[in-house]
Amino acid sequence: MKEQSQNKKTPNYSGVLAVKVDDLTVAYNYKPVLWDIDLEIPEGVLMAIVGPNGAGKSTLIKSILGILKPIAGSVSIYGKPYNKQRKLVAYVPQKGSVDWDFPTTALDVVMMGTYGSLGWIKRPKQKEKKAALEALEKVGMLAFKSRQISQLSGGQQQRIFLARALVQNASIYFMDEPFQGVDATTEIAIINILKELRKAGKTVIVVHHDLQTVPEYFDWVTFLNVKKIATGPVKDIFNDDNLTKTYGINYKVSIQE
Amino acid sequence: MNSAQIEIQLIASLVAIACAIPGTFLVLRKMAMISDAISHSILPGIVVGFFITQDLNSPLLILLAAFTGIITVVLVEYIQKTGLVKEDTAIGLVFPALFSIGVILIAKNANDVHLDVDAVLLGELAFAPFDRLFIEGTDVGPKSLWIIGSILLITITLLLAFFKELKLSTFDKGLAASLGFSPVIIHYGLMSVASVTTVGAFDAVGAILVVALMIAPAATAYLLTTDLKKMLSLAIGFGVLSAISGYWFAHWLDASIAGSITTMLGFIFLIVFLFAPSKGIIAVMYREKQQRTEVSLLTFLLHLKNHTEERERHVNHLQEHINWQKVRAKTVLDLAQKNNMITMNKNIVSLTNKGDTFTSKAIDYIITNEDAQIEDMKEDFFLFRG
């Protein structure tokens, strides 16, 4: 019941903060990868995190999710620390972060999304299986449910990952480069699902590489390069100035409105 | 079969099962070498434990030795984390160091310890039935049977309880962490089970065979299935099969039981490695040959599609022009004809409608790399099966 009410918060910039990051600093071997990041992500946005390679985009997501330990700073999800709000958050890691030769099927991978709500020891049952099948259908992969995951194409694997996040029925979705190495059809399918999530009042945060598609896909953007350069609505801040500050060379936004 | 023979086979089989379970996860986590490290570096733990307890089968000794196994894992990870050496180097540094401490300890106290390096490396399964457990004066069976039986029971209980967590953290550590299943706890849980199993099995089968029993059955099973549960059952099956057939092989040869079991493990792996239906060497070679033929077929069909003039479509011309040997050209022609993609009239080849559609679709696929359109073609042709 509690979850339901949280899911039903008014969509689109209700003024509620989904994620708040304060003074976050993360370092690998004493080399700061993220430096003193302050970030406020309003509920209901579809946000891109952009920045050059090594800017700390994945690191930012992983630190918010508690996968990496920051050396300073704090993160809150709807006003509380992450480990109290796990069930509100779903995460789609980079496709390359797992071994696709692992002996398991597409359906089984999607079922893994239900493990969080099950907790330790309890096994997934019919209810979880049903949810997983629905998620597979949503991403157009139902026909592949029994297929071994190495027998799927890159785009299909990405859809399986997306389905695994959908099955968590979260309020905030973090995705690490979901468009990496997928074909055009899959890219469109994925972005449509993300837009649906936003319509349902969810907050979606995506590490994104293709600057061309930012205005088309997203309504909110964060520029990141070790430090936070800017964050806000795409229409206000996605401009040459911020791109140049982030990427260090002169950028022209070559996108026609 | 006398009762000692049955007991030896039973012990060997239980050891095989107890090893196959953690072994499967070690193989999937690409940590096979860590079991080698553990099996060697528990030696000082066993020796020190033996000084304290004076009993090779004491539970305290098992825990002490297993603890050395965990120390190995911690040390390896610590050295690796410094970034100064790679993981395999770290393993290669840690376990010989610990093992050699054990060897020196044994040598210095050889007089009062009934442990020798041979027994440590190869085990003494044949003697296992002689060391018996008595409860209130009643003989309840060999001690090793009780030890490995208890360890197996714990392992199976843990596996059933935490199967989901093990699977998740093995497949996707990041997701496990974000869902609140600490990969570190699961990792050390698995390492503890592997260490305890190694120690428990050590006395019976020795350090080398423990590694073989952990890795070989799992590696064999991996080649045969794409389902984790099946992989576990197959690994257990191969372990038991090797244990029993190895015992009789040793009986027949009058040789070391541990050595024979290891030989069987290797033999079974070899057979599967060669003949596994989809991942075996022969299947892979066959598939590659098929793919080459299919690429040739496609080249040939495309040539036909591009050339309507008869001179370009004569069989002899094809041989000269596309530069194929006779056999190759014949294979390709046969394959095309069998699939009703071409017709031949006085050695002039023409595309059928089916052949024409197939060619366009295939070329389309290769250019756009879109999967949806060719799902139906995958059935007929290896080329499109990824």
Side-chain angles (χ1 to χ4, degrees):
Chain A
M1 281 300 107
K2 199 179 141 209
E3 241 179 31
Q4 283 250 318
S5 65
Q6 253 144 347
N7 285 345
K8 275 189 184 154
K9 274 190 182 115
T10 356
N12 296 340
Y13 330 138
S14 53
V16 179
L17 284 185
V19 182
K20 190 165 185 293
V21 176
D22 289 304
D23 308 322
L24 185 79
T25 299
V26 182
Y28 293 133
N29 297 324
Y30 307 106
K31 184 178 172 283
V33 184
L34 288 175
W35 210 332
D36 200 30
I37 305 288
D38 289 303
L39 185 61
E40 295 185 341
I41 306 172
E43 181 182 56
V45 296
L46 177 47
M47 182 179 99
I49 302 176
V50 299
N53 288 331
K57 304 184 292 290
S58 300
T59 307
L60 176 62
I61 288 190
K62 286 182 186 162
S63 317
I64 294 175
L65 297 173
I67 299 171
L68 291 175
K69 288 262 168 295
I71 56 173
S74 65
V75 173
S76 66
I77 306 284
Y78 284 112
K80 287 186 195 148
Y82 173 73
N83 57 16
K84 296 221 165 75
Q85 303 281 52
R86 282 185 211 287
K87 286 180 185 167
L88 299 183
V89 176
Y91 169 49
V92 181
Q94 280 188 26
K95 201 158 59 63
S97 68
V98 304
D99 173 14
W100 289 95
D101 286 326
F102 193 84
T104 190
T105 59
L107 175 62
D108 203 37
V109 171
V110 178
M111 296 262 277
M112 288 179 190
T114 66
Y115 289 4
S117 60
L118 284 168
W120 289 88
I121 298 178
K122 266 188 237 152
R123 306 274 191 97
K125 301 244 162 54
Q126 278 307 314
K127 184 183 142 215
E128 282 75 25
K129 190 174 172 188
K130 202 172 145 250
L133 289 171
E134 279 169 19
L136 274 171
E137 182 155 37
K138 240 180 245 172
V139 300
M141 289 290 294
L142 195 55
F144 298 85
K145 68 179 159 76
S146 308
R147 191 164 297 184
Q148 208 268 326
I149 51 174
S150 67
Q151 303 293 313
L152 299 168
S153 72
Q156 290 169 335
Q157 291 173 343
Q158 193 65 60
R159 289 183 198 213
I160 293 299
F161 259 15
L162 182 60
R164 191 178 71 174
L166 291 178
V167 89
Q168 294 184 43
N169 195 20
S171 303
I172 309 175
Y173 290 80
F174 289 94
M175 312 205 174
D176 205 342
E177 303 202 17
F179 304 115
Q180 182 89 23
V182 307
D183 54 76
T185 332
T186 301
E187 180 156 338
I188 293 164
I190 293 177
I191 196 64
N192 284 338
I193 290 169
L194 300 192
K195 285 179 175 169
E196 262 173 50
L197 286 173
R198 177 183 53 187
K199 221 182 270 169
K202 318 270 184 179
T203 310
V204 185
I205 295 145
V206 180
V207 170
H208 193 58
H209 253 299
D210 182 9
L211 293 171
Q212 302 284 328
T213 52
V214 169
E216 185 191 335
Y217 290 173
F218 301 95
D219 56 14
W220 210 264
V221 64
T222 293
F223 290 93
L224 191 72
N225 191 355
V226 185
K227 292 175 161 196
K228 183 192 76 186
I229 312 294
T231 184
V234 169
K235 58 177 170 24
D236 299 340
I237 68 158
F238 193 72
N239 52 37
D240 293 355
D241 186 32
N242 281 326
L243 282 163
T244 307
K245 272 189 208 155
T246 309
Y247 288 85
I249 38 172
N250 275 321
Y251 248 94
K252 286 271 175 288
V253 181
S254 52
I255 299 129
Q256 266 102 53
E257 284 297 316
Chain B
M1 261 197 285
N2 61 38
S3 71
Q5 288 180 318
I6 294 173
E7 280 169 6
I8 292 175
Q9 289 177 65
L10 195 57
I11 294 171
S13 302
L14 293 189
V15 168
I17 300 171
C19 287
I21 293 169
T24 298
F25 290 99
L26 290 177
V27 165
L28 289 174
R29 287 165 172 249
K30 302 181 175 62
M31 294 176 66
M33 283 315 288
I34 204 84
S35 70
D36 193 19
I38 292 175
S39 74
H40 283 79
S41 58
I42 57 176
L43 183 61
I46 289 179
V47 180
V48 172
F50 188 76
F51 291 158
I52 299 171
T53 61
Q54 295 297 320
D55 175 8
L56 261 183
N57 291 316
S58 133
L60 178 67
L61 177 139
I62 291 180
L63 287 180
L64 259 176
F67 183 67
T68 336
I70 301 292
I71 291 180
T72 315
V73 178
V74 174
L75 277 177
V76 167
E77 278 166 10
Y78 176 78
I79 296 178
Q80 185 195 348
K81 238 178 228 160
T82 61
L84 299 174
V85 293
K86 297 260 185 290
E87 186 186 11
D88 53 345
T89 315
I91 292 176
L93 287 168
V94 171
F95 88 78
L98 289 167
F99 186 67
S100 57
I101 294 173
V103 171
I104 291 173
L105 282 174
I106 292 182
K108 286 292 282 179
N109 302 282
N111 295 334
D112 26 83
V113 185
H114 102 129
L115 260 177
D116 61 74
V117 175
D118 278 359
V120 162
L121 288 177
L122 296 173
E124 291 293 359
L125 199 50
F127 298 150
F130 298 126
D131 191 5
R132 307 196 74 83
L133 183 68
F134 292 92
I135 296 177
E136 291 175 0
T138 320
D139 178 359
V140 291
K143 273 187 185 166
S144 338
L145 189 61
W146 282 92
I147 292 173
I148 199 63
S150 323
I151 292 173
L152 180 57
L153 200 66
I154 297 171
T155 306
I156 289 178
T157 311
L158 288 171
L159 175 73
L160 292 178
F162 298 111
F163 179 73
K164 158 180 123 248
E165 288 77 7
L166 267 167
K167 180 170 72 179
L168 174 63
S169 77
T170 303
F171 175 63
D172 192 342
K173 245 201 250 177
L175 183 73
S178 77
L179 292 180
F181 302 106
S182 161
V184 179
I185 293 177
I186 297 165
H187 173 71
Y188 280 104
L190 177 63
M191 288 302 136
S192 306
V193 169
S195 297
V196 170
T197 307
T198 307
V199 188
F202 199 81
D203 186 35
V205 299
I208 309 280
L209 183 55
V210 170
V211 181
L213 277 171
M214 284 209 179
I215 306 311
T220 312
Y222 182 74
L223 295 178
L224 286 173
T225 180
T226 54
D227 179 301
L228 181 56
K229 282 179 187 158
K230 278 187 199 140
M231 184 176 164
L232 269 165
S233 348
L234 279 172
I236 289 171
F238 286 130
V240 173
L241 180 66
S242 313
I244 291 172
S245 62
Y247 172 77
W248 288 104
F249 188 51
H251 187 77
W252 178 59
L253 283 180
D254 193 18
S256 145
I257 299 173
S260 302
I261 294 178
T262 316
T263 308
M264 290 323 260
L265 286 168
F267 180 69
I268 292 174
F269 177 78
L270 179 68
I271 298 288
V272 172
F273 180 70
L274 289 175
F275 300 109
S278 78
K279 291 185 193 166
I281 287 285
I282 292 173
V284 169
M285 276 164 58
Y286 174 74
R287 195 161 50 230
E288 280 171 0
K289 187 173 162 274
Q290 289 293 90
Q291 283 174 343
R292 274 197 298 277
T293 312
E294 281 148 15
V295 171
S296 303
L297 171 70
L298 208 54
T299 317
F300 170 59
L301 293 176
L302 188 64
H303 179 80
L304 291 178
K305 200 171 154 68
N306 287 344
H307 296 278
T308 42
E309 57 276 34
E310 284 200 352
R311 150 181 94 75
E312 286 281 345
R313 292 189 285 121
H314 194 276
V315 170
N316 289 335
H317 172 81
L318 289 174
Q319 271 172 27
E320 291 157 25
H321 186 91
I322 310 186
N323 205 11
W324 286 338
Q325 289 161 357
K326 257 197 169 139
V327 187
R328 184 91 176 273
K330 192 170 173 333
T331 321
V332 170
L333 278 177
D334 286 350
L335 185 63
Q337 257 184 324
K338 204 179 86 196
N339 283 289
N340 297 325
M341 289 179 178
I342 54 167
T343 50
M344 294 239 269
N345 189 5
K346 288 177 195 152
N347 279 344
I348 305 291
V349 189
S350 353
L351 271 182
T352 61
N353 281 340
K354 188 186 167 202
D356 192 72
T357 330
F358 175 82
T359 314
S360 325
K361 259 164 90 179
I363 297 304
D364 232 29
Y365 166 65
I366 287 165
I367 293 169
T368 59
N369 212 21
E370 273 186 28
D371 295 336
Q373 313 166 354
I374 57 124
E375 276 301 319
D376 49 328
M377 296 170 78
K378 283 189 182 178
E379 295 307 314
D380 306 330
F381 288 96
F382 283 106
L383 180 60
F384 303 107
R385 288 186 197 171

